[in-house]
Amino acid sequence: MLPSTSVNSPAQGNGVLSSRDAARHTAGAKRYKYLRRLFRFRQMDFEFAAWQMLYLFTSPQRVYRNFHYRKQTKDQWARDDPAFLVLLSIWLCVSTIGFGFVLDMGFFETIKLLLWVVFIDCVGVGLLISTLMWFISNKYLVKRQSRDYDVEWGYAFDVHLNAFYPLLVILHFIQLFFINHVILTDTFIGYLVGNTLWLVAVGYYIYVTFLGYSALPFLKNTVILLYPFAPLILLYGLSLALGWNFTHTLCSFYKYRVK
């Protein structure tokens, strides 16, 4: 779970673990402890997790300042409390059920949609993006003088969850109030509102991801993580010019997947 570990000499012939191996062993133990706490709700700080969710919208920098504090006090950047993950899962379930209701899906279709959103949209895509960002950050963004440190995969997944939450709320909750009566009306106002929500949601994902990696002091040139804003804005402009409704495409895809 540690996003940074020291890289020293390999293990000696006497069987003593190197600093890197010891760090990995410690990280493995912390991951085990984290997963075990998933079933101990009384040990979770849901109030603090809710605070983080609020500030991911209003001031995401404050969330990552708390990550700095955790590094100083517990010697790890990533969360050691699964309360955030539990609350995010609840949000996923509730918002997806609402999505199914708005799209007039039946019970079993809604269950299929829920499974798709949880295991494909959140977990599957999250594993892919986290792994990609973990590779890119370690390969190209670590400062030359900080080669003794690396970004752990667990922290990369934590950053993804932070960025995914605002996107989820915008596209799977706020958007629900506009889908049937505004967004899916096949008018310019419809795809203007819908595509603008997509622009804000994806833009927020990019920005929160950038904040997550820029919070690590041993990384350089993290501003390149903001470069996807350029093609995003270009795609947004093209979609308005061509009348391409992102939400209509998403709804059609969801209905196709649950058949």
Side-chain angles (χ1 to χ4, degrees):
M1 298 292 289
L2 294 176
S4 61
T5 56
S6 293
V7 180
N8 293 313
S9 59
Q12 303 298 320
N14 58 10
V16 178
L17 290 176
S18 68
S19 298
R20 184 180 182 86
D21 290 335
R24 285 176 172 173
H25 177 74
T26 303
K30 290 182 178 180
R31 281 196 297 270
Y32 172 74
K33 182 180 179 182
Y34 178 89
L35 293 174
R36 195 173 60 175
R37 289 185 66 182
L38 279 172
F39 305 98
R40 300 181 179 181
F41 294 100
R42 292 184 179 180
Q43 297 182 6
M44 299 183 193
D45 190 348
F46 289 106
E47 181 179 354
F48 181 69
W51 173 88
Q52 288 186 318
M53 287 182 163
L54 172 64
Y55 279 102
L56 281 172
F57 273 101
T58 60
S59 181
Q61 298 92 334
R62 295 185 64 174
V63 176
Y64 287 111
R65 281 202 294 269
N66 176 262
F67 277 60
H68 271 282
Y69 176 75
R70 184 183 299 109
K71 173 62 177 176
Q72 295 171 358
T73 57
K74 299 183 178 180
D75 196 29
Q76 69 179 75
W77 293 82
R79 294 184 178 93
D80 59 344
D81 184 350
F84 186 92
L85 180 61
V86 172
L87 291 184
L88 178 62
S89 300
I90 294 174
W91 261 104
L92 269 173
C93 293
V94 173
S95 63
T96 302
I97 291 173
F99 217 105
F101 176 79
V102 169
L103 296 183
D104 198 25
M105 293 182 178
F107 175 77
F108 291 105
E109 290 178 329
T110 302
I111 295 300
K112 290 180 182 179
L113 177 62
L114 177 60
L115 293 175
W116 177 273
V117 170
V118 171
F119 292 105
I120 303 299
D121 289 354
C122 181
V123 178
V125 175
L127 292 176
L128 179 63
I129 294 178
S130 300
T131 302
L132 179 64
M133 293 302 301
W134 166 80
F135 173 79
I136 292 175
S137 57
N138 281 317
K139 185 72 174 179
Y140 302 107
L141 300 183
V142 176
K143 296 177 181 177
R144 183 179 301 274
Q145 64 271 27
S146 301
R147 288 298 176 182
D148 287 345
Y149 299 91
D150 65 344
V151 179
E152 289 286 335
W153 185 91
Y155 181 76
F157 189 70
D158 237 358
V159 171
H160 163 72
L161 294 181
N162 288 345
F164 181 78
Y165 172 69
L167 181 145
L168 171 70
V169 173
I170 293 171
L171 295 183
H172 269 230
F173 180 70
I174 296 176
Q175 185 173 225
L176 295 182
F177 298 97
F178 303 96
I179 284 184
N180 287 331
H181 301 293
V182 179
I183 297 176
L184 299 183
T185 56
D186 291 328
T187 63
F188 175 77
I189 295 297
Y191 53 81
L192 174 64
V193 173
N195 291 5
T196 300
L197 287 174
W198 276 85
L199 174 68
V200 174
V202 178
Y204 231 108
Y205 184 94
I206 295 171
Y207 178 62
V208 174
T209 298
F210 158 75
L211 291 178
Y213 289 94
S214 63
L216 300 179
F218 54 87
L219 295 185
K220 63 179 180 179
N221 300 328
T222 53
V223 69
I224 66 172
L225 300 179
L226 295 176
Y227 288 0
F229 267 112
L232 174 64
I233 294 174
L234 177 61
L235 180 61
Y236 173 73
L238 287 175
S239 69
L240 296 182
L242 299 175
W244 179 14
N245 191 323
F246 295 153
T247 302
H248 186 277
T249 302
L250 176 69
C251 292
S252 299
F253 175 75
Y254 277 165
K255 290 180 178 180
Y256 170 76
R257 292 305 310 173
V258 301
K259 286 183 179 179

